[in-house]
Amino acid sequence: MTNNFLTTIKSLKLIEGCKAAQLYALSSVGASTSGSADSGVSSIGKPHPPPPPKAISMRSGSLYYPHAAPSTSGAFVPEPHLPCGLPVADALEPALDACLRPVDHVGALAASYRRVSAATSGADDDLCDAYLEQHALFQSIGDARLIRRALRAARVHADNPHRRAVLAAWLRYQRREDELDPAPPPLAPCTATTPLLECPRAAVFASVSHSVDPVCPCRRPPPPPVTPPPHRLRRSTSAAASEMSEEEEPETNDLWFIIGEEEVACDRSCIAALSKPLNTLLYGGFAEAHRDRIDFSRDGITPRGMRAVSAYSRHGRVDDFPPDIISQLLAFANKFCCEGLKAACDNQLAAMVRGLDNARSLIDIGLEEASHLLVASCLQAFLRELPKSLTYPDIARLLCSPEGRERLDISGNASFALYYFLSYVAMEQDMRSNTTVMLLERLNEFAEQPWQKQLALHQLGCVMLQRGEFEEAQEWFEAAVAEGHVYSLAGEARAKYKRGHKYAAYKLMNSVVGDYDEPAGWMYQERSLYCVGKEKLADLQAATELDPTMTFPYKYRACALLEEDNAESAVAEISKVVGFKMATDCLELRAWFYLALEQCELAVQDVRAILTLDPTYMMFHGRMHGEQLIELLRGQVRQWDMADCWMELYDRWSAVDDIGSLAVVQQMLAREPGNSSLRFRQSLLLLRLNCQKAAMRSLRYARNSSLHEHERLVYEGWILYDSGHRDEALAKAEQSIGLQRSFEAFFLKAYALGDSSLDTESSLSVVQLLEHANSCASDNLRKGQAYNNMGSIYVDCDMLDEAAECYGIALNIKHTRAHQGLARVHYLKNRKKVAYEEMTKLVQIASNSASAYEKRSEYGERDAARNDLNTATLLDPTRTYPYRYRAAVLMDEGKEEEAIAELSGAIAFKPDVQLLHLRAAFFDSMGDTESALRDCEAALCLDPTHGDTLELYSKASSTKADEPQS
């Protein structure tokens, strides 16, 4: 590894903003923002009308204030603007995370990587559990891609039909709105875009999970018929032949079973071959062995059922029998230990499960007869209809009650994974429900490993706290702490405080802060809840310094400033977090402050942004829907027609005002809710703001409301592309162009083709597609993006003059972000000072854009670069490049401890592969092999394929092996 770490860091940023893969419309400054394949959506189709004002949001992120007293400041708070009074700082309370939250994230990730590595050579059961543990750890990081990757890995290594069914259903639940058909039947055959790991047939019937045939069973041709053994080749297996009578085959009948008044003819040797007990009965020392007629009237089978047994004994198949006959065969097989017959019946009944109704009618048979596959298939149908299926009393009773758990366990279909999934869904729907409590109790019963016990106990504490059952909550949290989950101490303190023991709560959290040399930000935040005055503010400031991503300290400080009649400072404080995290509760709070300042236009802007992110969001203690507030303020804000809106959108887009642009589009959609083009633009804005879920919802709205086939194909193409189906997206674009040439169709095709490593000739063909796009009707907002993307491709092809021309055209039509591309061109022409000046123009326009400052830092001298990166960190502490740059500078200056501290401060709240890799390299250069290995393992837990880290890990491991043993 080179000693010049600053050079290494800079090399990681090479022309990041100018790659052909940056073609996505409205991509953010200096960072690629293509849609995530795992983005979820909360609703499909046309938007619902606003809920009634009495509905109360139980969303964990929404503000929850008691009835606030009217402002004491008087004149600047008119009552019509504040129908619910002002927020009260002391009534704020941060949400308690209902997930595993280790004190040492790096150590936990490294340990998880080692467990996965150790389990790789062992049983799949162990490996599946190891990946489920990773899934639980990734929940606290909050990265949807990591969470889904861990779940996929667990599904790959699931070792039986039950686990495969549970994990396939969970994967489907996470991605439930990605399919073009918004509401497919739960066990419908897979489409061409359905991931194989979600296939319901592969889940129940696949034999080896990690060697699954890449062709989905739903689309695989049927296998050739199996030739039965010679002694069973009697006749065809038609439905008519299934229930044979003695007249049909008199030469083979040497045994008759008497059932009531009927006799059923059988072949003694065929019946005896079904199981050892039947063979003993017919050929052993029993009296029946010497009889040709045996009374089976009391054995619980009908004559039709016995004829089916006889037929199966001859030809070995049950696929022509109706379900009621197969259920009789299943009971017969259990009674006489006919394993082959039971397996055949189990498979056939499981294959008959096609939906919720089938599953509800067949589940009792499966449970009574302990039919593993049938129960797994029925359970899969229930899971794929979550949360709706939990509204059925019979299903809820089976899944939630102790008796139901016992019945599922007997059939081999109860597990920690099952109740982990069920409780996850239940908590997402309603933390306070009895269903959630019961499912978590079942989860706790199946918890065996330490992390499982910690998770179940902590979540039970969180739910009880939400329900107001504080004594029980405290007991559950204490149990979680006893299992080693330190974060549950925060819940224990909350429960004590709610029970009136404020000093005990403070004392508990004070001891937590004192127990660690490097306390986490959440520890100070939790202690602040039990402090007052300067001590409280000092704790909140410490919390922000250690973890600037926590929103509660900003919200509290902002409300405290408002209470001091300093509304402008309150707005500035809450805007700090809104600048890098589009949180609805923070936007709501800022809107509240704007109302206090009588800045109704800005308040309505934030409310419209909230409605875009969550159309059902309830404001002001859950009392008022956003649309109602907008209507209430109608007389206080300007009313625009569509032409005004377009002009306003153009101005705000050029001013790099993303939230303002989002609000204008929402206002336009309020006038034209069926405008698919506006929905599409809304989705692009949301992607740039990193709101993947809301973006996918808007894109689906666009697809569903489109009146033209060629438009619908484009939107379907983007849905497919964002879901990871590039080739299918490209096909949709070509279909659309075949129907009608349009800007969006050519743009989609260009993006789909450009999202890969291209040679110069292929890149220029993408440019040609973008030129075709610009020859079609569109507006300057979209054409500016196309010219900007053309410039990026020309830069990649080293055609700098052509790139500069494209960027110049984009700037002439006020596509402001083209300053970034033009700066890159100047830099590549060795005009570093001009490049810096070009980026300064963008910084002046987008003064609150962290990425603009970050990109300008590449063209400034060291001091100027450091200042720009410090500003970028203040604006957006989640961006990792500034930390890496500053650490590299410190390392090059020989300040090793300061360099490590710079990285450690960021890693404490944002475990990141690049940060961990760089710190591991620092440790390695300092001779601290142990720490280097730990950071490498944590990084590889986040990304097992990261090449540089794998190389460093191999080197550090060799060094460790060569060290003399103490």
Side-chain angles (χ1 to χ4, degrees):
M1 172 127 187
T2 177
N3 291 327
N4 192 336
F5 287 103
L6 179 57
T7 302
T8 304
I9 290 300
K10 282 190 171 183
S11 71
L12 297 175
K13 293 287 289 183
L14 288 176
I15 61 172
E16 182 181 327
C18 303
K19 297 176 182 175
Q22 295 268 330
L23 281 168
Y24 202 93
L26 307 180
S27 63
S28 71
V29 180
S32 174
T33 55
S34 64
S36 168
D38 303 307
S39 300
V41 194
S42 62
S43 60
I44 303 300
K46 297 181 180 179
H48 299 290
K54 66 181 179 180
I56 296 177
S57 171
M58 298 310 299
R59 190 178 297 101
S60 62
S62 63
L63 294 172
Y64 181 71
Y65 308 119
H67 293 226
S71 171
T72 58
S73 59
F76 78 102
V77 189
E79 181 63 23
H81 295 170
L82 293 166
C84 299
L86 288 169
V88 178
D90 287 336
L92 289 171
E93 184 175 288
L96 196 66
D97 293 338
C99 60
L100 287 181
R101 186 164 185 167
V103 174
D104 178 11
H105 266 103
V106 175
L109 291 171
S112 176
Y113 176 77
R114 291 194 296 271
R115 276 192 286 274
V116 168
S117 299
T120 301
S121 58
D124 277 343
D125 189 24
D126 295 335
L127 199 50
C128 181
D129 285 339
Y131 281 118
L132 278 178
E133 181 184 7
Q134 277 193 5
H135 177 270
L137 284 173
F138 292 159
Q139 290 284 350
S140 63
I141 296 175
D143 189 320
R145 291 169 298 178
L146 291 177
I147 293 169
R148 184 165 179 82
R149 194 198 74 204
L151 203 56
R152 283 174 57 85
R155 161 65 182 89
V156 166
H157 295 283
D159 60 338
N160 58 55
H162 165 70
R163 283 198 177 200
R164 290 196 295 267
V166 169
L167 295 171
W170 198 340
L171 285 168
R172 174 59 185 160
Y173 179 82
Q174 285 192 334
R175 199 194 55 85
R176 57 195 179 279
E177 286 93 8
D178 281 359
E179 292 287 352
L180 293 179
D181 180 2
L187 299 179
C190 296
T191 67
T193 60
T194 303
L196 177 61
L197 293 179
E198 295 176 21
C199 173
R201 290 188 59 79
V204 175
F205 298 105
S207 56
V208 183
S209 59
H210 55 279
S211 301
V212 176
D213 189 330
V215 178
C216 176
C218 298
R219 301 190 300 276
R220 196 180 301 156
V226 179
T227 304
H231 73 280
R232 292 185 179 177
L233 281 173
R234 302 300 190 195
R235 50 173 299 166
S236 68
T237 59
S238 65
S242 297
E243 298 179 26
M244 294 179 289
S245 64
E246 62 179 307
E247 287 81 10
E248 290 175 303
E249 294 196 38
E251 73 282 359
T252 66
N253 298 330
D254 56 359
L255 177 66
W256 287 263
F257 288 98
I258 303 170
I259 303 173
E261 298 180 356
E262 296 189 43
E263 293 184 355
V264 178
C266 301
D267 184 312
R268 181 184 292 266
S269 62
C270 289
I271 296 295
L274 293 178
S275 72
K276 187 173 182 179
L278 285 173
N279 183 73
T280 303
L281 175 71
L282 298 177
Y283 288 108
F286 292 94
E288 284 81 1
H290 306 288
R291 299 175 183 170
D292 56 7
R293 281 171 170 75
I294 301 174
D295 189 357
F296 257 34
S297 299
R298 298 181 181 180
D299 284 279
I301 191 168
T302 66
R304 287 183 65 225
M306 198 62 215
R307 291 191 187 95
V309 172
S310 176
Y312 172 80
S313 72
R314 300 171 192 268
H315 57 68
R317 297 180 63 179
V318 298
D319 49 319
D320 289 324
F321 299 126
D324 63 319
I325 294 298
I326 298 179
S327 64
Q328 289 191 50
L329 293 179
L330 188 58
F332 180 90
N334 269 332
K335 186 167 188 175
F336 291 99
C337 303
C338 306
E339 296 301 327
L341 177 58
K342 179 177 180 177
C345 293
D346 196 5
N347 271 278
Q348 186 62 24
L349 286 173
M352 290 179 179
V353 178
R354 290 286 184 264
L356 207 57
D357 292 339
N358 293 137
R360 292 175 69 193
S361 63
L362 291 172
I363 185 69
D364 284 334
I365 297 172
L367 291 169
E368 289 170 6
E369 303 299 339
S371 299
H372 184 55
L373 285 183
L374 174 57
V375 176
S377 193
C378 293
L379 189 61
Q380 182 171 226
F382 300 158
L383 298 179
R384 285 175 177 254
E385 283 286 288
L386 289 172
K388 185 182 80 172
S389 56
L390 286 174
T391 62
Y392 293 94
D394 54 333
I395 298 177
R397 193 179 309 113
L398 174 67
L399 297 179
C400 301
S401 69
E403 296 77 17
R405 178 201 64 79
E406 186 176 351
R407 295 183 73 194
L408 288 171
D409 201 10
I410 291 172
S411 72
N413 277 279
S415 65
F416 181 87
L418 170 64
Y419 290 105
Y420 186 18
F421 177 31
L422 287 169
S423 59
Y424 173 88
V425 175
M427 292 176 70
E428 189 177 72
Q429 295 300 310
D430 185 359
M431 283 277 287
R432 303 184 180 189
S433 71
N434 291 335
T435 296
T436 302
V437 175
M438 295 174 72
L439 289 171
L440 285 172
E441 289 173 345
R442 306 291 82 76
L443 181 71
N444 186 41
E445 291 168 0
F446 273 94
E448 296 178 354
Q449 300 177 29
W451 74 268
Q452 295 175 344
K453 294 177 182 178
Q454 291 174 18
L455 179 66
L457 294 168
H458 179 73
Q459 289 185 337
L460 274 164
C462 291
V463 168
M464 292 303 179
L465 197 66
Q466 286 280 321
R467 287 163 63 95
E469 300 176 25
F470 304 127
E471 185 175 355
E472 291 84 351
Q474 182 177 334
E475 292 174 357
W476 288 118
F477 284 129
E478 288 172 347
V481 172
E483 291 293 337
H485 193 234
V486 176
Y487 181 63
S488 292
L489 286 167
E492 183 182 341
R494 297 269 190 108
K496 288 182 176 180
Y497 178 73
K498 298 290 187 182
R499 297 178 65 195
H501 308 306
K502 183 174 181 178
Y503 179 70
Y506 171 81
K507 187 177 179 181
L508 177 60
M509 289 314 303
N510 190 53
S511 68
V512 174
V513 172
D515 285 344
Y516 291 89
D517 294 332
E518 298 179 358
W522 64 264
M523 297 177 183
Y524 285 101
Q525 175 178 278
E526 292 298 320
R527 190 174 70 174
S528 75
L529 300 180
Y530 317 115
C531 303
V532 294
K534 292 182 179 180
E535 188 179 355
K536 186 183 193 79
L537 291 175
D539 271 358
L540 290 174
Q541 185 58 38
T544 297
E545 291 171 0
L546 291 169
D547 185 352
T549 65
M550 293 190 299
T551 61
F552 172 74
Y554 299 95
K555 295 195 304 186
Y556 183 90
R557 288 190 293 263
C559 287
L561 288 166
L562 186 69
E563 290 172 356
E564 297 171 358
D565 289 347
N566 195 348
E568 291 88 351
S569 297
V571 169
E573 181 66 25
I574 199 64
S575 294
K576 292 178 184 177
V577 69
V578 172
F580 65 88
K581 181 181 288 189
M582 285 285 287
T584 50
D585 56 337
C586 294
L587 283 167
E588 177 190 359
L589 197 57
R590 191 169 72 172
W592 216 328
F593 297 159
Y594 281 137
L595 290 177
L597 286 168
E598 298 188 54
Q599 296 179 4
C600 297
E601 295 276 0
L602 292 173
V604 168
Q605 174 177 292
D606 280 351
V607 173
R608 291 192 182 280
I610 291 169
L611 292 174
T612 303
L613 295 171
D614 183 356
T616 67
Y617 193 86
M618 300 294 292
M619 302 181 64
F620 305 139
H621 336 298
R623 287 174 160 190
M624 181 180 290
H625 189 268
E627 292 287 1
Q628 294 172 286
L629 179 60
I630 292 173
E631 185 62 30
L632 186 67
L633 298 174
R634 188 176 183 84
Q636 309 294 324
V637 299
R638 290 173 294 165
Q639 298 302 310
W640 299 335
D641 58 21
M642 289 298 285
D644 295 330
C645 287
W646 276 111
M647 292 179 63
E648 193 71 21
L649 178 60
Y650 193 85
D651 290 342
R652 296 193 182 194
W653 166 248
S654 298
V656 198
D657 179 5
D658 294 334
I659 294 179
S661 301
L662 203 62
V664 174
V665 172
Q666 199 278 339
Q667 183 173 354
M668 298 166 80
L669 283 168
R671 290 178 175 272
E672 297 182 7
N675 190 320
S676 59
S677 176
L678 286 174
R679 286 288 182 190
F680 178 58
R681 291 169 189 273
Q682 186 183 62
S683 74
L684 299 175
L685 275 167
L686 287 165
L687 275 177
R688 193 169 68 207
L689 289 165
N690 201 31
C691 302
Q692 307 285 351
K693 186 174 182 178
M696 184 65 82
R697 183 181 63 238
S698 294
L699 188 54
R700 195 170 296 281
Y701 278 147
R703 183 254 191 181
N704 292 346
S705 59
S706 179
L707 299 177
H708 305 288
E709 178 69 10
H710 70 276
E711 284 184 355
R712 186 177 64 81
L713 288 168
V714 170
Y715 303 146
E716 288 182 356
W718 281 117
I719 291 172
L720 288 166
Y721 182 86
D722 290 344
S723 303
H725 303 286
R726 174 182 169 276
D727 293 338
E728 291 84 353
L730 186 60
K732 292 286 184 181
E734 291 172 343
Q735 283 181 262
S736 180
I737 293 170
L739 293 176
Q740 181 171 323
R741 293 165 59 91
S742 69
F743 178 94
E744 298 300 350
F746 279 116
F747 196 97
L748 171 60
K749 184 175 180 180
Y751 193 88
L753 286 175
D755 188 24
S756 59
S757 298
L758 299 175
D759 55 26
T760 300
E761 183 178 351
S762 300
S763 296
L764 293 179
S765 69
V766 174
V767 170
Q768 189 174 27
L769 287 171
L770 291 171
E771 290 174 342
H772 288 324
N774 276 338
S775 68
C776 301
S778 187
D779 58 77
N780 284 343
L781 295 179
R782 301 293 285 135
K783 290 192 174 185
Q785 182 67 49
Y787 279 115
N788 190 70
N789 292 339
M790 289 164 63
S792 298
I793 297 172
Y794 279 132
V795 168
D796 283 347
C797 296
D798 201 27
M799 300 171 67
L800 301 183
D801 291 337
E802 290 82 353
E805 182 180 355
C806 287
Y807 290 131
I809 296 173
L811 287 171
N812 286 337
I813 54 179
K814 295 189 176 181
H815 185 80
T816 314
R817 291 167 176 81
H819 284 298
Q820 179 178 315
L822 191 55
R824 175 59 61 183
V825 171
H826 289 311
Y827 179 78
L828 293 174
K829 288 185 173 183
N830 296 317
R831 298 200 291 259
K832 185 176 180 180
K833 182 178 179 181
V834 179
Y836 184 86
E837 292 171 352
E838 192 68 38
M839 277 306 301
T840 299
K841 297 176 184 178
L842 181 57
V843 167
Q844 290 170 346
I845 296 169
S847 58
N848 292 321
S849 171
S851 63
Y853 283 99
E854 183 179 303
K855 291 301 294 183
R856 190 175 71 168
S857 73
E858 297 181 33
Y859 312 127
E861 299 303 324
R862 177 169 288 197
D863 289 342
R866 187 178 298 183
N867 290 335
D868 275 348
L869 291 174
N870 289 341
T871 303
T873 297
L874 287 174
L875 292 171
D876 184 356
T878 65
R879 302 182 74 88
T880 62
Y881 176 69
Y883 301 100
R884 288 184 281 146
Y885 179 92
R886 289 189 293 264
V889 170
L890 290 167
M891 200 68 177
D892 285 344
E893 293 174 350
K895 300 175 181 178
E896 296 176 341
E897 296 301 325
E898 290 91 334
I900 294 293
E902 178 70 28
L903 293 175
S904 299
I907 290 170
F909 65 87
K910 186 179 174 63
D912 173 83
V913 173
Q914 296 288 355
L915 293 173
L916 287 164
H917 169 73
L918 186 59
R919 192 172 71 170
F922 287 178
F923 280 131
D924 183 65
S925 68
M926 295 162 61
D928 188 348
T929 306
E930 198 73 39
S931 297
L933 283 171
R934 188 190 66 156
D935 278 358
C936 283
E937 288 165 346
L940 291 173
C941 183
L942 298 173
D943 183 1
T945 64
H946 193 255
D948 291 341
T949 303
L950 286 168
E951 182 180 348
L952 181 59
Y953 187 52
S954 176
K955 175 190 172 187
S957 298
S958 299
T959 302
K960 178 70 174 176
D962 293 339
E963 290 178 354
Q965 299 296 319
S966 57

